[in-house]
Amino acid sequence: MTTTASNTYLNNFIRNISIERSLFWVTAALMLVAILYPASMAIRAAFFENDIFTLAGFERILQLETIVSDIWNTLIFSAGSMFGATIIGVSLAWVNARTDVPGVKAIEVFCVIPFFMSAFVGAIAWRLLFVPNAGMISMFLTKHGVPAFLLPDIYSLGSMIFIQSVFYSPFMYLYAVASFRQMDPTLEEIARIHGAGNWNTLRKVTLSVNGPALLSGMILVFVMSVGTLEVPMALGSAGGNYVLSTRIWALMNNMPQDITAASALGMIAIFIAALGIMIQRKLLGNRKFTTVTGKGYKSKKISLGRWKWIVFSLAITYIIFAVIMPIVTLILVALQKFWTGSFSMQFFTWANFTTVLFEYDVTARAIKNSLFACSVAATISVIFALILSQIRSRNAEAFMGLLVLLPIVIPGAVFGMMVLFAFVKTPIYNTIFIIIFAYVIAYFYLAYRTIYSVRLSIHPELEQSARIHGASWFQSTRKILTPLLKPGIVSAWLMSFILFIREFSSVMFLYRHGTEVMPVVFFMLMERHSARLAAFMVIQTAILLLIMIIYQRFTSKNATGAAL
């Protein structure tokens, strides 16, 4: 009797387990393990040496003469970049979304181009402009009588913050512009009716009610800046301005190698990043920021009057600094046999492009590796995101909220070190697949959020009606859900590919001979051959801009429903 009842209960339980729920929890469990296992190995490396518990790693980093300056530089660099990117990104978002500045569509296109470029590429371009005695602008100014002490120090912490702010401002722009466009304009109109000017309205209304979106973007920039190797390695190391990420890199790559101390520094970097997220949550608390209601409204642009041309000039200035100058500089340097600090037709050549594309084994291999690894990683990310966006329940949403948050807390350089420790004794070590793994886990949140946001707009009754008429879960997903999710799937794939191909910080810990990807070769060529480095960077930038054009054409078509 008891056995029969147990069997009946088991059979009912099995029948009630849907395929989509099983896939969701299995995939979610795999993702959780893929995040926690590398983290646990890094924690173990920080507290264990030769399988013995020890705090020697922390003791050694405390004995470093530079530890205080490294932490202080990290805080200044990260906070400065966060505020700089916020000022630039939010200002541009407000101009494009809320004002009558002319040429808004063109400005918007140029505002997001730095998102499709690597900050390492931008830093190298600015270095070619201002490096002492060999920079294009520094040599020009020196020849025309400007004293050397008045020239900006491209290796200084201030220059690092400026360049990081310029190339990370698109993250803030993308967070802010969507929020500004969804905001009910009557809130601003009421403020102006009561005597508030444009500045007070912007400060007390627009920025206040869009607090969550802006704080989310700020914390993302802060966390990425804590763990980035791009600008600090391109500029900071040469100027002696080390941050935690470059110090970790040095401890892992200098001889003698100190893995325990590097892991201990990684724990400090994670603590700083987590502290930033905790401050964000404390600032938001339980406050409500409802800006989109069921009441219909028509977006109304703010008239800037004669100020619109001044604002337009400032936007053009940003475009020149962030887009035109870096790209033109790289092209000019790439078209020289060797770089002397100024462009000369006497040394004009196309050979650098043919060399890096066809003759130099490392660069040609890096292009193939990047295209393969980024394509595979983007495909895996989209498949996992598609599976994990299927379930709509409070428990599932809470779990996914935690799952996508975990990798964000881990700075890029620290995450690369974690993955290295996790797989150093496995078959995927020294293969391209360890880089693919890092890509998927580090940026999975982007693919998931993109597809999940589209999934929320699809009513469950569409799938339910298909299931009622005999379609299996696989059939309803393939024939109904996937076509409806096409905009989100394509957008998630393209955006993931872009972030993967420009990723620098984590892959610097994971590559080996034969598995080099394009950002790794940037570092390899940085001190060897400026002209070939510039040519290789122009090729990567061209690939990314081509993907940007495809992405924008696709999203603009789907905005009108033409592609569906």
Side-chain angles (χ1 to χ4, degrees), residues 419-497:
V419 174
L420 175 67
F421 293 159
F423 295 101
V424 69
K425 295 181 179 180
T426 67
I428 72 168
Y429 180 68
N430 281 346
T431 71
I432 195 70
F433 296 103
I434 192 172
I435 294 177
I436 292 173
F437 175 89
Y439 284 159
V440 173
I441 302 303
Y443 291 105
F444 172 74
Y445 70 90
L446 176 71
Y448 173 76
R449 289 297 185 192
T450 303
I451 293 177
Y452 185 69
S453 63
V454 179
R455 180 72 176 84
L456 290 175
S457 66
I458 300 173
H459 201 283
E461 66 184 14
L462 296 171
E463 297 171 86
Q464 292 169 2
S465 61
R467 299 294 289 272
I468 290 171
H469 287 82
S472 65
W473 171 83
F474 179 77
Q475 289 174 324
S476 64
T477 300
R478 182 170 62 88
K479 294 184 177 181
I480 296 176
L481 188 60
T482 302
L484 293 173
L485 286 172
K486 181 182 174 183
I489 291 172
V490 176
S491 296
W493 195 95
L494 290 172
M495 295 301 289
S496 297
F497 185 93

Side-chain angles (χ1 to χ4, degrees), residues 316-331:
I316 296 300
T317 302
Y318 166 79
I319 292 170
I320 292 171
F321 277 88
V323 180
I324 296 175
M325 285 180 63
I327 293 178
V328 171
T329 300
L330 292 174
I331 292 173

Side-chain angles (χ1 to χ4, degrees), residues 75-92:
L75 292 171
I76 294 175
F77 174 70
S78 302
S81 301
M82 177 185 70
F83 287 114
T86 299
I87 292 170
I88 297 171
V90 173
S91 299
L92 290 169

Side-chain angles (χ1 to χ4, degrees), residues 170-310:
F171 288 96
M172 283 305 306
Y173 173 84
L174 293 171
Y175 268 92
V177 74
S179 184
F180 287 166
R181 284 175 177 158
Q182 290 178 342
M183 177 184 168
D184 188 345
T186 58
L187 299 172
E188 296 171 314
E189 291 172 6
I190 292 170
R192 283 191 288 271
I193 288 171
H194 286 82
N198 287 335
W199 167 246
N200 284 330
T201 302
L202 171 65
R203 183 169 57 90
K204 295 183 178 181
V205 179
T206 310
L207 297 181
S208 296
V209 300
N210 290 285
L214 302 183
L215 279 173
S216 296
M218 291 175 69
I219 293 303
L220 180 63
V221 172
F222 179 82
V223 172
M224 289 191 297
S225 299
V226 168
T228 186
L229 277 173
E230 295 170 302
V231 174
M233 188 168 282
L235 302 177
S237 298
N241 292 306
Y242 278 80
V243 292
L244 289 178
S245 58
T246 46
R247 186 64 66 186
I248 291 171
W249 166 260
L251 289 170
M252 290 289 294
N253 289 273
N254 293 344
M255 293 298 170
Q257 190 181 55
D258 196 338
I259 293 175
T260 306
S263 302
L265 273 183
M267 297 302 104
I268 295 175
I270 291 175
F271 174 77
I272 293 173
L275 186 63
I277 293 176
M278 289 170 60
I279 292 173
Q280 177 216 22
R281 292 183 173 272
K282 184 70 174 177
L283 289 174
L284 291 178
N286 295 319
R287 296 166 62 193
K288 295 183 178 180
F289 296 86
T290 302
T291 61
V292 181
T293 66
K295 183 181 178 181
Y297 57 83
K298 182 179 179 180
S299 180
K300 184 179 179 181
K301 298 281 188 177
I302 298 171
S303 177
L304 297 180
R306 61 185 180 181
W307 287 95
K308 70 180 180 181
W309 293 109
I310 297 175

